[in-house]
Amino acid sequence: MPRPLWTGAISFGLVTIPVKIVSATEDRDVHFHRVHLTDMGRVRTRKVCELDDQVVSQDEIGKGYEIAKDQTVPVTDEELEQMPLPTAKAIEIAAFVDADTIDSIRISDSYYLAADGQVAAKPYTLLRKALERSSKVAVAKFAWHGRERLGLLRIREGAIVLHSMKWPDEVRNPDDVAIPHEVEIGEEEIEQALQLAEQMTIEDLSGFHDEYREALENIIAAKSEGKPLPSPPGEEKQGKGEVVDLMAALNASVKAAKESRGEDGEDATVHEMRPSKKTSRKTTAKKTAASKGTAAKKTTASKKTTASKKTAGKKAASKRRSAS
């Protein structure tokens, strides 16, 4: 288990659950030192007092709050620890709410809460089962890094997770970045966007990995071994401010998503509501056939009329010969 970051207790009504906070995530970034490029010596930050220009040691540095220009009030760590806060060493559950009512933008860092000792096992399990069966999350307050914070308790694979949260007044109004006027979007575009989202839907995120970190590690390995640097991948250039055909882009995206999933992308496009070329050809063929049929009928009728006239003429001639 990682080193505990905080030790205290969960306060759940009259129930007290001793717990330890450990980080639920870990930093996997590649970190660099600042160096002097001429000799690769480390460059370090020196803490200097701006009044006497002297380097100050760590035990000479404290906290201060500027209440006015050239007027700072010192605040000691002892004074902060002795503040009359009920949450100084406790995660105090204040309420329970439905999980879907929590705005995800307010969720910050995440921590696991581990039961601290055998005496905490039963109340820890009690709270865990209560949260699992109710499908609710607990809202709590706790002190962390010199300030009181709002927290969220939920269950993840049998462990209680603590999410630190932003206070309501710490979340900025989205109106500052919203589009100032309504943009017209057609139903076809919305349906195509939904189809694209459906094609890109997955159930497991475990396949994602940090490609930037891998590329950076490859560069470091190549430089340390004196090898040529890896070649950068080709980039698709797109002009700035280029007007994009939204429907064409959506159609191409849906087709690409289907092909990446091994599906046939032939039916990915959306067509306008007008007769297709095949339909037009069929209609033309039907009209031509009908015209030919009408002409054939007229020709047959004309032939029958001519034949009738010839027959009548022969009968009349025969009668005249008989009379003479």
Side-chain angles (χ1 to χ4, degrees), residues 253-323:
S253 300
V254 171
K255 184 175 181 179
K258 283 189 173 183
E259 290 175 350
S260 68
R261 296 168 70 101
E263 300 178 16
D264 183 12
E266 293 296 326
D267 299 329
T269 56
V270 173
H271 302 285
E272 296 181 13
M273 299 301 293
R274 60 184 181 185
S276 63
K277 293 182 179 179
K278 290 183 179 180
T279 305
S280 299
R281 286 198 295 269
K282 287 181 180 179
T283 303
T284 304
K286 286 181 180 179
K287 288 182 178 180
T288 303
S291 299
K292 289 182 178 179
T294 303
K297 287 179 181 179
K298 288 182 178 180
T299 303
T300 303
S302 177
K303 288 181 179 179
K304 286 182 178 180
T305 302
T306 303
S308 299
K309 287 181 179 179
K310 287 182 178 180
T311 303
K314 289 181 179 180
K315 288 182 178 180
S318 177
K319 286 180 180 181
R320 286 196 295 270
R321 285 195 298 271
S322 298

Side-chain angles (χ1 to χ4, degrees), residues 2 39 44 48 55 114 124 131 134 137 146 185 200 217-218 220 228 233 245 261 275 307:
D39 56 14
R44 301 183 182 274
V48 178
V55 177
Y124 184 99
L131 287 172
S134 66
V137 293
I185 299 293
M200 296 177 66
E217 290 172 344
N218 291 336
I220 293 172
D245 185 336
R261 296 168 70 101

